[in-house]
Amino acid sequence: LYLVTRDGDYLSNLDKKKPNTYLEDEWREKRHGEIKIFESIADLVSQLEKDEVEFKKLRRSELLDELKLSGSFAQTHSLIDELSPLIDDFNENDIRKFLFAYYSNSQVSMIGSDSDLKIAKGLIKKHPLYSKELRESIVREIIGEDED
């Protein structure tokens, strides 16, 4: 429950950023949830935006982990469909994970010429954090060469 209030009746006597203990206990007992207090709608919106960014980051990571372990061409296509719209938001670690999955999992690399994978690879290559050196380091990691 998100509660936007400055009314002291809803706030803890000890910590004005937390809900009243009675209210918090009742909500937890009856709804099995927690109450988050905000002083303004702007504070709530700011928190929701931060939560959305974190959710998207976690979702990208989960999808990339699944791509690395993809056991079929169909699963790979499904994952690429979900990942492609997110590529612009990739960080360097996401790019590394994508490249690792592409070069280490035959269920990904064997269909690299399919249109959806071609598009995804193109988006990765155009990404400002992508570099040929990064790609080469992933390939060396997969084949087990030292970087000396």
Side-chain angles (χ1 to χ4, degrees):
L1 172 67
Y2 296 113
L3 182 60
V4 179
T5 185
R6 290 187 183 129
D7 186 338
D9 290 343
Y10 295 103
L11 306 176
S12 165
N13 291 330
L14 300 174
D15 184 350
K16 295 299 180 189
K17 294 185 186 249
K18 292 188 176 185
N20 171 296
T21 308
Y22 172 77
L23 180 65
E24 185 174 38
D25 290 345
E26 186 158 330
W27 186 260
R28 187 176 296 124
E29 183 181 310
K30 292 187 179 183
R31 297 294 184 167
H32 307 289
E34 66 179 274
I35 301 173
K36 293 187 179 185
I37 300 286
F38 298 92
E39 289 186 8
S40 69
I41 296 289
D43 291 344
L44 171 62
V45 169
S46 176
Q47 183 61 50
L48 291 174
E49 288 171 348
K50 289 176 190 173
D51 290 349
E52 182 180 15
V53 167
E54 188 60 29
F55 172 79
K56 285 181 178 180
K57 182 179 169 184
L58 289 171
R59 184 64 184 144
R60 283 192 323 261
S61 184
E62 287 174 355
L63 290 169
L64 289 163
D65 289 343
E66 288 179 39
L67 185 64
K68 180 178 147 185
L69 301 173
S70 179
S72 71
F73 298 147
Q75 183 181 14
T76 297
H77 285 297
S78 176
L79 291 165
I80 292 298
D81 284 346
E82 287 190 71
L83 282 166
S84 290
L86 308 176
I87 289 175
D88 284 346
D89 295 327
F90 275 21
N91 58 37
E92 186 175 332
N93 190 51
D94 294 333
I95 293 171
R96 290 183 67 80
K97 288 172 99 172
F98 180 91
L99 293 171
F100 191 91
Y102 182 83
Y103 289 108
S104 67
N105 184 341
S106 63
Q107 296 297 318
V108 181
S109 60
M110 287 181 67
I111 56 173
S113 61
D114 288 6
S115 62
D116 57 344
L117 255 79
K118 272 185 169 178
I119 291 169
K121 285 188 312 188
L123 292 171
I124 291 287
K125 287 182 177 180
K126 290 179 184 174
H127 195 286
L129 297 175
Y130 171 85
S131 69
K132 184 178 176 184
E133 293 79 18
L134 177 61
R135 180 182 54 82
E136 290 171 350
S137 75
I138 297 295
V139 171
R140 282 194 303 272
E141 182 182 332
I142 291 167
I143 63 174
E145 287 185 10
D146 291 328
E147 293 188 28
D148 293 332

